[in-house]
Every structure is written in structure tokens, then in C-alpha cells.
Amino acid sequence: MQLFFDQVLNGIGTGAVYSSVALALVIIYRTTGLLNFAQGEMALFSTFVTWWLTDQGLGIWPALLGSMVFSFFAGALIERVIIRPVEAAKNPLNVVIVTLGLFLALNALCQLIFIKPGQEALQMPLMFPKGDISVLGLDIPKAILGRAIVLAIECAVLYVLLQKTKIGLALRAVASNPESSRLVGINPGNMLMLGWGIAAVLGAIAGTMAASRGTGGFDTSLMQQVLVYAFAAAALGGFDSPVGAVISGLIVGIARALTIQYVDFLQGIELVVPLGLIFIVLLFKPNGLFGRNIVERV
Amino acid sequence: MSDPTNLPDTPPAFATPAVPAAGAGRKVPWLRIALGLIVAVVALMLPYYNDPETNQIFCQVMYLALAAMGLNLLTGYNGQVSLGHGAFFGIGAFTAAILTVDHGWMIEATFPVAAVLAAVVGVAIGFPALRLKGLYLALITLGLAVLFPLVVKKFVEGPGGVPLLKPKRSQVGSMVDFWADDIYRYYVCLAILAVLFLLAWNLVRGRMGRAMVAVRDQEVAASTVGIGVANVKVWSFALSAAYAGVAGAMSTYVDRTADASNPIIYFQRSIEFLIAVVIGGAATIGGPLLGAMLLVALRRRTEGTEAMAPALLGGALIIVVYVLPDGIVGGLRRLGAWIRGRTSGSAPPGAAAEPTPSSPAPSPT
Amino acid sequence: MDTKRTPRLRRTLVLLLALVALVAASCSGRSEDTGGGGGGSEGGGGGGDGESGAVVDTADCPDTGTAGIEDGTIKLASSFPQSGLTSAFAQISKGYLAYFDKVNADGGVEVAGKKYKIEVVAKDDEYKPATTAQNIESEVGSDGTDAFAVFNVVGTANNVAIRDDLNELCVPNIFAATGSPVWGNTSYPWTIGSTLAPYTVEAKAFADYLKENKPDAKVAMLVQNDDFGKAYEEGFKQQIEGSDITVTQVKTYEAGTDEVTSEVTSLKASGADTFFNGATLLACPNALNAASDQGWDAVTFVSGTCISKTLMGIAGEAADGVFATTNIKDPLNPAFADDPAMKEYNETLAEYGASDVDPENGIVAYGYTQGALLVEILQSLDTLDRGTLMNKMYDLKDLTGGLLLDGVEVNTSPDDRFLAEDVQMIQYNAANKYFENVGDVLDFEGTTPDITPEDLIES
């Protein structure tokens, strides 16, 4: 039983990262209707910025804060300077290509700027102390508990921001009807930048968390390993549901851990499990577990 | 042609309409015929004036163009976005490799088999894809491309214990005495490319093509006028996969390598195809070829810059999409219209061009 | 279920199954090694070519034996990742280039009474085998008339992708930079490995250590899901046959991922008291750390691909006391500070090394050693042509050089196609941040064919 529980905990540990990235994907999708393929690599860049700040002598938490601030502005800037001019052509495929271009470029830039030749990897200081905490007789690693708490805080802040503030209202208004929102005095452009900025901040947290697990060792493949699972989580949850993204991220993480433990013939192709899961869910609920139904009009 | 709609809930349509707006009673398009002839002659003469390495690169452009054409049929004309064409490409590549390496087939004979196998898998994906829209389809197919090398790796054990198969040099040699190997291969690729592009051209101008575009632009409306939406979609998938499969077999022929040792290689292929389609011009016949040319050219330009290469390629892509929002073909059409506008001195620039893409703003739901 | 399926049959099967469905193929389980059992060492002459004592028969070769030697320069071709994730491997080349530069500055290498400079042309392949094949074809020429030989191409799949052509063209592919046992394949006499000990030799060293110090060890293995992992798994299992050592569980992980916590949890739960960590790159320190976090106190071995100072530094305390093997002097180990070879290495790197080279990096030391050995070998040739060089590669006697550990000698013969099989156990000291050498050099010279399942070599 302890083994099962341990694997579930491992799953939550990785799942928390999938959830964070999925959450970022969902935020961008809700505000702009786009799937940002570069989300993972933007998060990677933020992660390197966090690392760079710690390398300058900052503690991990202040460094993360600094990276979040940087990421907010960088994300907004990317929206304004790179995405919006292309979006004007009204061809969603063009934006897809641009995000793919960003994907390639950012990954290469991280390697160029931050990694010295011959260095296989960098090391991020740990965000959480090592060791276990005993809860109701079960041993829970502090690091996994810490990640779960960070994820919970993210959710709470996002909920308040989106549902309880004026800005959140404006964001949602732009998402559901840009034309009308303009009429009531909201600047849709600013809201798009805001959406990208928030997503980039979520990415910074997700990337830093991903890097700071275990040994803290990471390289430029950090987010590519995560991205497919995060996509799976976002799709499973139904692209427009933050709650769905978080829960699905955890489901995907736990499913992966349990597959590794119990399903030997899937060794090496564990990826089948989340994909199969989405496939089945989408066959019955085409908009994901938590997505809204769309009524198509002609 | 298509009627610009602005309903927020319709699925986004992609790029420009299929064929040039055929001006009624247009005169014989001498310019086009002359241009076509020049292109044909250049294409036929090209291998004689280049070294084998360059001819191999031409062949790489051609299989990239073919796979992009396949994706274009599905994504450009039919509106189903697939990021899984790398997997169909891989199926073709490994079909050709297994049949030649293990069974001594002539590699040329494996192309139809690759097409059929890829098409069958395409149908198998196409049916469930009927339930999936837009992003969800893109993601499921992306998963397919990521999964493909892992599955191959698990079940294919090549020489040296690595999932990599290589036909012998003699197996891809020339069968015509007066053509060197590389020239012969070039002509084989060119012939396949020409036939399949003509086929695609014919197809999109015909009933099937109109049905595909109708399903893309107005799925529900299409079904009300008697188009079998499911049929059209699944057929598009199968056909598109078959193109990618042939392209994969061609890659084994040209590069003499079918490789699954790198876990992201077929995902990268998927991306390449999509890039070629979009920068060439989605839903055009010439687009995939021009896109493939530009992509390979960009890659060659950035080569040798070591670590800078992917950064430059990524940056170049962004710029290309920015400068040519409707692809190279769209850009050429605008240029053509601008020249015509100048010479006749009437219509303002751009107005004579094709109607701009009719897609509404993508809706967030 | 029939067990004895040839790979070819299996591939065909897969092709057929692909018709039905992509995933349904799971019935085709991994076939156990069929070649193991008794002494499956290769017989006398190699693959039809080996008449008249020489391994390489140049009778059928094109007349290009001296191609690539012009104006007193020997042109070598190579291909390795210089950009992207695996670009760290490019450091290997900085080692041998520094050595070659030094030799060139001294007038060159003397072969049969004439001095030659050594030039290396290398292209970036991003670790992709198809690109490697293209690079090598353009460097060697499709008729084999350009570069003289291919030197130190990095990666198993990458070398597999070029060995057919080079065999056909009779172009030497020497010092292939991986520890795969497949470089002993007698059908490919024009390809031979480097001084990286074959992975199965590492497994043998670990097995021997356990037999002596922990004869009832229960071993859990973490290996990559490819030929690299298979060599560890099958090599180790063959070595413990007949002993009381048992393997409790083998977990494979996908190459390219470094999240292996769940695998380690599973391995620990199998009740093992010994951990064979065959992971590489970041997965290796991550696995060590996961084991330590979970309080798994096991005797631990790590792969020879994991002993770099970066990876071990990342593992930190979790790596304290782990064992590995090597046959090269570690530049970080102060015990070698006064070693003449180490001094020469440091001086050479200081004078001729590229600006971005890190002499403390173990793979630079490895590259330097390959350069030194190649120069030794070239100097011993009677005539400078491809056939002679290649035959010499199968006739090396007690060759030493570079930073090879004292006592490690390179010996080859037509029946022993592995350069350096002698290794020494090393143990990591986390406080000092380097590996300490343990015990004597283990003499495994000439044993690779016996300790390696035959299908791993002849494939």
C-alpha cells in the first residue's frame, strides 16, 4: 500500500508541473484562442533567468520572484511585438508557425546564452527542503507537498484575479467577445498582453519547479519533456477550463507513475496512457472533462 | 467565391480559396504556359549542372514538398490540422526500409505499399478524428508523431541494436545506364512529385476538392446540401496520409536511412511539413513546393553556424510569416495583381487579387 | 509463444501488425538472448575477408588506398553534435585537436620516413544518424576519394548509419566513440571502436566486484530502453549466472527523459540492496538523488557515461560512495597531479587547446587520449594507406599513450577487436568532488567476446 501511495505522490510531484504548464496554456487559449506551442520554451527561458539570478547570489525564492516579473513583461512584449502583427492576418495557422519559430529560437537561445560549451547541464537550488513530513501516518516528501501548495496558491490567485477583479472581468469579456468589449471601453490589445504576461509568469513558476526537483539538474530539454504531457492535460481538461487543467495535470502525472510501476509491457511507451486517456475522453466528451459545450451555428 | 462570414462560433477556415478566381472568358494564358515550360525545362536540366550532394538536397526538397502537399490537402483544403504527419511519413520510411533491407524488394516498388499502409493508418485515425475539432485533433495527432519512434524503437531492432535501417547503396542505384545514380534518383523523385501534384491539382479542382473546401468553411451547411461530411473528412485523411507515406518512402530512397533512434525526429518532421505548407501558402497547389524550397534554403543558410542555427531558423520563420502572411503564393499573387494594376492603371493594388482569407477571428471557445 | 524470432521476422511482423493497429503489437515481447549460453566466441577468419592472416582484404577495394593524403597532410573526417542538447560531446574533439595541433607544430607525424600534418574536417550532426551519414558522405566523398579515414564519430546509431558505406568503400572508420560491443562485428572490419571499454566490460567489473564483496546481492537495474541499456542488462545477467547474485527488477526509461523518480521507487520496492544505475545524462544523477531521498541505502554502480564532473556535481551528496569504472586518468584527481602524462596533457591543452575547452572535463581527456593513440598507430605503419592502417588496428600490441591508466594496454587481434578492455574501479568522493581509484587495474584484455552475448556483437 505504501508503494502505491508513494507512486501516487511521485505522480503528484510531476503532475504539479504538468498542471502549471497546462494552466498557462489554458490562460492563453482563453484570452486569445491560440495554442501556444512556445509555452514550454518560454517557461524554459524564464527558468534560465531564475537560475541566472541565483547564480548572481540571490536566494531561490527572490530569484523566482524576479524571474516572474521579467517573464510578465517578456510575455506581454512577445504578444505585442511578435504575435499580434501576425495575428492581424487572421490566419490561425500563421500564429501556429510563429509559436513554432519561437519554440526553436528560444530553445537555441537558452543554450547559447546560459550554457557554457561542454557543460551537460546546470543546477538550480532547491525550492523546498529535503525530507519527509508525516501526515496521518503516511510519509510525504516535503518537496511534493511544497509543489502541491504552490499549485494551490496559483489556483487561488488566478481565481481571485479572474473572477473577483475588474481586470479579470475585462479579460473574460475580451475572451468571449472582443468587439463588444471594445464598446464598453476595454482595450482588447492590453488584455491580450496581460493574458500572455500571466501565462508567462505561470510558465516561470512551472519551469523553476520542474528544474528544482530532486537534484535541481536541468538542461534545455527540460520543458520538451513536460510539454506533451501538459498538452495532454490541457486537452483532457478541455482547453478553456483552468480547473480542468489542474486536475487533469495531476491525473496525467499519477497515471504515468502508476503505469511505470504496474504496467510492464508499456515500458518506454508510457506516453500511450495519457494519449489514450484523452482519446477516450474526447470520444465521449468532445470538449474535454471540464470544457463547455459548443453549439455550432451556421 | 466564399462569403466572408463573421460568426464567432464557426471553425476557423484556412487561407486562400483553392483555385485562381477564373476570370470568365479569359484569353489563353500564354504567360502561364511559357512560365510552366521554363519551369519544366529547368527542372529537367537541373541535375546535370549540379554535384551529387546538391542533387540529393533537391530530392530532399521534393519529398518534403510531397509530404507538405499531403498535409495541405488535409489542413489547407479540408481544415483538419494535423501535427501527426511525421508519423505517416515514418510509416512510409520504415515500410520502404523493411521491404528493401529484409526482403530484397526494389525500393521503387515499395512506394505504393507505403502509400497504402499510411492510408490505412490514416483511415484508422481519420474515423475517431471525426469527433475531434481543431486543437484537439492537432494534439492527438501530435501525440501520434511523438509516439511513433517510441513504438518503432520497442518493436524494430535493426542492425547494431539500434532502430535504424539502411538500404544498401546498390539498392538505390540507377537502373538506366546513361544516368548516374544521383541523376536517376532525381528523375524518379521528380516523376513521382509531378504525378502526385497533378493528381492533387486535378482533385482540388473537381467535386472532391469543392466538397473538401465546403466542409472546411461551413461544415454544417455542407451537410445540408448533401455532402457526406464524414466521408469527405475520412477520405481526406487517408489521401493525405498516403502522400506523406510516399514522401517517407522517398526519404528512405534519397537519404538511405529510416531512423527512429531520436525520440523527437518525427515530431520535428510534422512541424517541418506544417511550416512548409504555411510559408508556401495553404490551400494552394504551388505552396507546398515553394514552402519546402524556402525551408530547405533557410536551413542551408543557417548551417555551419553551430549553435546559432536553430535560433536563426526560428527567427527567419517568424519574419517570413510576418512578411508573407498568406504564404509565398499569396505574396506572388499580390505582386502579380500589383503589376497588373500598374499596367492597366485602374484597380487599386490588391483589389484585383484573390479575396482575402475568409476566416473569422478565432473564437476562444 | 515462439521465442526464437529473428529481428528480421519481427520487423516483418510489426509491419503486418501496423496494418491492424498501431498499438496492438504489444504481444511481441522482448526475446531473451539466444546466443548466450556457452562460449560463443567468434571463429577464426572474419566474415569471408580474412584470408592470409590480414583482417582486411583490400583485393576487392576500389583503388583509393591513399586518398586523402595530399601535400603532406592526412585528412580525417568526423561528425558529432556541435549544437543543441548534446553539444557537450563536441568537447571530445577539443582534446584530440589540441594534441594534433601540437604534433603538427612539431612538424607532424612521421610515417614510413615522411612527415605528415593531421587535419580534421568535422561537421555538426546534432546527434542525428541521418545527418551523420550525409556529413560523412560529403567529407569522404561518395566514391571514397576525399578524406583518408573517419575518426571518432560520436554515437552508436550514428556509426551504424555509416558503417555499411565505409565498408563498401574500404574507408577506415576508427575510434568510434561509444562503448557498444557492436564494433567487434566481424562483418564490418572497416569499423572499430575506441578506448571506451565496451558496456559489457563495465557490467563484468560490477559483477566481479559483487561476487567478491557481496555474493548474495539482490540487484535492481535502471537502464535506457535501447541497445545501450540492453548491453548492460544482458551483459550483467550473463555474468551473474551460476552465482547467488540475483536481479530483482529491471526498469527501462526512455532515452531523452530525465524524470526517473517513479522508476527508482519501483526498483527500491523490489527489495534490492544493490543498484545498477545504467542511466546517462541527467537521468543518472536524478536516479541517485531519488534513491537517496527515498532512503534507499544500496551499493550503487553508475554507468561510465555518467562520471563527468557536471553530472556527479549535480548529484552531490547522493553520489557519495558510488562505484564506476574507467581506464583514463581523471584530470580532477590530485593523485595524478605529478603524473608525467597528466603534466603533458595540461601543458598541451594550455598551449594548443581551444579557448572554450575545459581540461578538467573527463571527455576532453578521453579525446586527447584517442588523438595520442592514433598518432602512435600512424607512426608504426610501414606504408601509409587505408588497408595497412586498418590491418594495424587489429594488430596492436601493448600500446599505451595519452592518459590511459598505468597498466592499461591496448591489445587487439583478429579475434579481439576491442581496444581497451582493462578498467579500474573508481569510487566517488562527494566531499572532494572527484573519483578515487580503487584496487588494481582489472585485466579483462581479450575477454569481451566471451562476456558479451554474441548477438550484441554480431549485429
Side-chain angles (χ1 to χ4, degrees):
Chain A
M1 199 57 212
Q2 180 69 36
L3 177 61
F4 177 81
F5 183 69
D6 282 345
Q7 290 293 23
V8 170
L9 281 177
N10 285 339
I12 293 175
T14 44
V17 176
Y18 302 157
S19 294
S20 290
V21 179
L23 208 50
L25 288 168
V26 166
I27 296 297
I28 288 197
Y29 183 76
R30 276 173 67 107
T31 45
T32 60
L34 300 172
L35 182 59
N36 180 11
F37 284 92
Q39 192 70 59
E41 303 315 287
M42 284 167 58
L44 182 73
F45 200 93
S46 305
T47 309
F48 275 100
V49 170
T50 313
W51 172 83
W52 183 81
L53 290 171
T54 64
D55 201 41
Q56 305 303 306
L58 279 183
I60 175 78
W61 290 98
L64 176 58
L65 204 66
S67 169
M68 285 162 67
V69 172
F70 165 84
S71 303
F72 180 81
F73 289 106
L77 196 70
I78 286 178
E79 196 284 328
R80 183 68 194 85
V81 176
I82 298 179
I83 304 293
R84 202 179 306 169
V86 177
E87 221 192 344
K90 295 286 178 212
N91 184 346
L93 273 182
N94 283 2
V95 186
V96 169
I97 298 298
V98 167
T99 59
L100 289 176
L102 263 179
F103 177 103
L104 291 174
L106 285 175
N107 187 284
L109 283 178
C110 288
Q111 180 91 28
L112 274 175
I113 298 174
F114 297 105
I115 297 192
K116 280 188 289 194
Q119 213 170 10
E120 293 104 322
L122 297 177
Q123 190 165 25
M124 182 77 85
L126 299 187
M127 290 166 78
F128 307 105
K130 289 194 171 255
D132 293 347
I133 280 185
S134 193
V135 179
L136 304 171
L138 292 164
D139 290 337
I140 300 175
K142 287 176 188 162
I144 291 177
L145 194 66
R147 286 169 166 211
I149 292 173
V150 169
L151 187 61
I153 295 174
E154 265 178 39
C155 294
V157 170
L158 270 182
Y159 175 79
V160 172
L161 187 74
L162 287 178
Q163 305 292 336
K164 303 285 176 197
T165 64
K166 263 195 153 169
I167 289 180
L169 189 67
L171 262 174
R172 283 183 292 142
V174 169
S176 65
N177 195 335
E179 296 307 316
S180 320
S181 61
R182 197 189 296 273
L183 294 179
V184 296
I186 301 169
N187 181 340
N190 287 348
M191 290 302 122
L192 291 181
M193 284 167 69
L194 183 65
W196 275 72
I198 294 173
V201 170
L202 292 173
I205 299 171
T208 306
M209 262 200 327
S212 152
R213 79 208 184 288
T215 55
F218 69 104
D219 58 27
T220 52
S221 76
L222 180 74
M223 298 316 278
Q224 287 177 15
Q225 296 178 41
V226 170
L227 195 63
V228 177
Y229 288 100
F231 276 153
L236 195 61
F239 270 100
D240 58 355
S241 160
V243 180
V246 171
I247 294 175
S248 305
L250 296 176
I251 291 177
V252 169
I254 293 169
R256 179 177 181 275
L258 293 179
T259 310
I260 289 170
Q261 175 66 45
Y262 297 109
V263 194
D264 264 352
F265 70 92
L266 289 181
Q267 273 196 36
I269 49 173
E270 293 96 12
L271 194 58
V272 170
V273 174
L275 289 177
L277 215 56
I278 320 177
F279 207 72
I280 293 164
V281 166
L282 291 185
L283 286 184
F284 294 100
K285 295 199 57 148
N287 298 302
L289 286 175
F290 300 87
R292 277 171 297 164
N293 279 328
I294 306 164
V295 180
E296 194 167 312
R297 284 169 289 171
V298 183
Chain B
M1 281 185 87
S2 56
D3 179 18
T5 53
N6 212 2
L7 291 173
D9 286 334
T10 46
F14 296 105
T16 50
V19 269
R26 183 189 278 187
K27 287 170 222 146
V28 183
W30 291 115
L31 191 70
R32 271 171 190 238
I33 291 174
L35 204 70
L37 273 176
I38 292 169
V39 168
V41 169
V42 168
L44 286 172
M45 300 297 289
L46 210 51
Y48 284 103
Y49 295 93
N50 286 289
D51 57 32
E53 207 184 323
T54 315
N55 284 338
Q56 187 185 3
I57 294 167
F58 290 148
C59 291
Q60 288 169 348
V61 170
M62 287 193 266
Y63 71 64
L64 189 56
L66 193 57
M69 187 66 207
L71 183 61
N72 187 27
L73 290 175
L74 185 71
T75 302
Y77 288 98
N78 194 225
Q80 304 189 70
V81 181
S82 162
L83 289 173
H85 269 49
F88 299 124
F89 184 87
I91 288 169
F94 271 90
T95 303
I98 290 174
L99 289 177
T100 43
V101 173
D102 287 348
H103 301 275
W105 282 42
M106 268 172 50
I107 194 159
E108 290 87 345
T110 65
F111 291 170
V113 184
V116 171
L117 265 178
V120 169
V121 179
V123 170
I125 306 294
F127 268 110
L130 291 173
R131 296 274 299 170
L132 306 176
K133 292 259 157 60
L135 284 184
Y136 294 101
L137 180 61
L139 280 181
I140 286 283
T141 50
L142 176 139
L144 198 66
V146 175
L147 206 53
F148 176 76
L150 304 185
V151 173
V152 171
K153 202 166 171 177
K154 202 165 165 64
F155 299 109
V156 172
E157 194 176 301
V162 292
L164 181 142
L165 296 175
K166 251 181 109 67
K168 292 224 175 308
R169 198 185 285 260
S170 56
Q171 284 175 304
V172 297
S174 171
M175 293 200 291
V176 183
D177 287 341
F178 51 87
W179 280 338
D181 287 356
D182 61 300
I183 296 182
Y184 174 77
R185 279 199 291 273
Y186 175 92
Y187 284 131
V188 170
C189 293
L190 187 66
I192 295 174
L193 187 78
V195 167
L196 290 180
F197 263 62
L198 279 176
L199 203 72
W201 186 58
N202 202 26
L203 184 95
V204 298
R205 284 160 51 100
R207 266 178 56 145
M208 176 70 183
R210 285 196 298 274
M212 282 161 73
V213 173
V215 168
R216 174 192 77 188
D217 289 344
Q218 286 292 343
E219 186 170 329
V220 180
S223 70
T224 59
V225 296
I227 293 173
V229 171
N231 259 335
V232 168
K233 282 185 152 186
V234 174
W235 270 112
S236 304
F237 227 111
L239 189 72
S240 166
Y243 269 67
V246 174
M250 236 159 100
S251 79
T252 303
Y253 179 56
V254 171
D255 297 332
R256 277 198 305 130
T257 318
D259 171 33
S261 67
N262 185 328
I264 55 168
I265 192 162
Y266 291 100
F267 168 61
Q268 287 175 336
R269 284 285 186 204
S270 294
I271 291 182
E272 278 178 12
F273 304 154
L274 191 63
I275 289 173
V277 169
V278 175
I279 62 180
T284 65
I285 288 295
L289 181 60
L290 294 171
M293 282 177 181
L294 184 65
L295 182 61
V296 172
L298 281 178
R299 224 172 26 200
R300 301 286 302 175
R301 291 294 314 167
T302 56
E303 229 168 54
T305 49
E306 298 199 358
M308 282 300 287
L312 293 176
L313 180 62
L317 281 177
I318 295 172
I319 293 170
V320 168
V321 173
Y322 180 67
V323 176
L324 298 168
D326 40 4
I328 302 172
V329 171
L332 288 176
R333 282 184 186 156
R334 268 184 293 157
L335 184 73
W338 182 76
I339 291 169
R340 278 201 296 277
R342 290 286 296 252
T343 46
S344 64
S346 55
E354 311 308 323
T356 42
S358 62
S359 78
S363 69
T365 38
Chain C
M1 208 173 103
D2 52 334
T3 45
K4 223 182 166 183
R5 286 184 190 151
T6 61
R8 165 201 259 249
L9 194 75
R10 215 144 59 121
R11 263 181 261 153
T12 314
L13 202 77
V14 170
L15 194 66
L16 289 173
L17 283 173
L19 268 166
V20 189
L22 264 180
V23 193
S26 54
C27 63
S28 157
R30 294 175 123 209
S31 64
E32 288 304 308
D33 58 306
T34 49
S41 70
E42 61 220 66
D49 284 341
E51 325 298 337
S52 75
V55 173
V56 177
D57 182 9
T58 52
D60 295 335
C61 286
D63 186 22
T64 55
T66 57
I69 306 168
E70 269 171 36
D71 306 328
T73 300
I74 303 173
K75 184 173 167 190
L76 302 175
S78 195
S79 176
F80 46 83
Q82 297 169 31
S83 63
L85 192 58
T86 46
S87 57
F89 287 130
Q91 286 281 311
I92 297 174
S93 69
K94 320 265 180 196
Y96 59 72
L97 288 175
Y99 192 86
F100 291 156
D101 281 353
K102 186 183 83 163
V103 170
N104 289 344
D106 295 345
V109 54
E110 188 174 321
V111 189
K114 190 169 183 288
K115 288 219 166 189
Y116 298 92
K117 298 243 162 72
I118 299 176
E119 179 198 354
V120 181
V121 284
K123 286 192 176 178
D124 179 15
D125 59 24
E126 295 171 65
Y127 219 36
K128 288 179 188 154
T131 316
T132 312
Q134 227 170 303
N135 288 349
I136 294 297
E137 181 158 348
S138 87
E139 288 163 1
V140 170
S142 51
D143 49 0
T145 53
D146 201 338
F148 177 69
V150 175
F151 178 71
N152 206 245
V153 168
V154 177
T156 302
N158 308 68
N159 276 289
V160 166
I162 57 177
R163 65 176 184 172
D164 279 294
D165 286 2
L166 297 176
N167 227 28
E168 225 170 275
L169 295 170
C170 300
V171 176
N173 176 19
I174 50 177
F175 293 90
T178 81
S180 170
V182 80
W183 312 134
N185 189 332
T186 47
S187 312
Y188 293 96
W190 290 91
T191 295
I192 190 167
S194 65
T195 66
L196 278 177
Y199 301 132
T200 48
V201 166
E202 283 182 49
K204 161 89 173 160
F206 295 158
D208 284 1
Y209 177 87
L210 289 176
K211 281 178 193 164
E212 195 162 311
N213 299 295
K214 205 173 168 65
D216 56 350
K218 295 192 281 291
V219 187
M221 301 180 77
L222 177 68
V223 296
Q224 206 162 285
N225 66 337
D226 55 11
D227 59 298
F228 169 57
K230 209 174 148 192
Y232 279 144
E233 182 184 346
E234 295 188 6
F236 187 75
K237 281 182 173 170
Q238 184 178 326
Q239 281 312 305
I240 58 170
E241 266 173 38
S243 74
D244 289 334
I245 300 168
T246 49
V247 171
T248 56
Q249 195 178 36
V250 180
K251 278 283 168 205
T252 60
Y253 72 97
E254 168 60 25
T257 174
D258 57 38
E259 175 57 60
V260 287
T261 312
S262 293
E263 282 86 348
V264 172
T265 302
S266 177
L267 291 174
K268 184 197 171 204
S270 73
D273 55 17
T274 306
F275 179 25
F276 188 131
N277 181 357
T280 187
L281 293 175
L282 273 177
C284 174
N286 283 351
L288 291 177
N289 183 73
S292 142
D293 277 357
Q294 297 175 13
W296 185 18
D297 184 24
V299 176
T300 303
F301 298 108
V302 298
S303 160
T305 61
C306 170
I307 60 176
S308 83
K309 71 164 181 181
T310 318
L311 295 178
M312 282 292 135
I314 284 173
E317 276 301 314
D320 195 41
V322 304
F323 293 97
T325 62
T326 188
N327 51 23
I328 294 221
K329 294 169 187 164
D330 182 355
L332 285 171
N333 190 340
F336 295 116
D338 295 326
D339 184 87
M342 187 59 74
K343 280 185 169 166
E344 191 190 338
Y345 166 77
N346 282 321
E347 284 160 14
T348 307
L349 266 291
E351 188 169 353
Y352 298 100
S355 57
D356 57 354
V357 70
D358 174 11
E360 287 183 347
N361 191 335
I363 63 173
V364 177
Y366 159 77
Y368 172 87
T369 305
Q370 311 315 302
L373 290 174
L374 177 70
V375 168
E376 289 278 323
I377 291 168
L378 286 173
Q379 275 166 351
S380 69
L381 298 181
D382 304 327
T383 48
L384 184 55
D385 68 58
R386 286 171 172 170
T388 314
L389 170 63
M390 214 56 226
N391 277 315
K392 186 70 199 172
M393 292 302 294
Y394 297 104
D395 187 29
L396 301 174
K397 293 288 169 273
D398 301 335
L399 182 66
T400 59
L403 288 175
L404 283 182
L405 285 169
D406 299 332
V408 174
E409 284 163 351
V410 175
N411 281 289
T412 55
S413 72
D415 292 332
D416 168 22
R417 300 173 173 225
F418 300 94
L419 268 65
E421 297 150 279
D422 295 343
V423 292
Q424 189 173 21
M425 294 288 280
I426 49 177
Q427 190 170 23
Y428 191 68
N429 184 327
N432 295 339
K433 298 192 174 177
Y434 60 79
F435 278 94
E436 284 158 354
N437 294 46
V438 182
D440 298 326
V441 169
L442 306 169
D443 180 14
F444 295 139
E445 188 47 59
T447 60
T448 306
D450 298 329
I451 62 169
T452 308
E454 197 185 346
D455 62 331
L456 292 186
I457 298 178
E458 299 293 328
S459 88

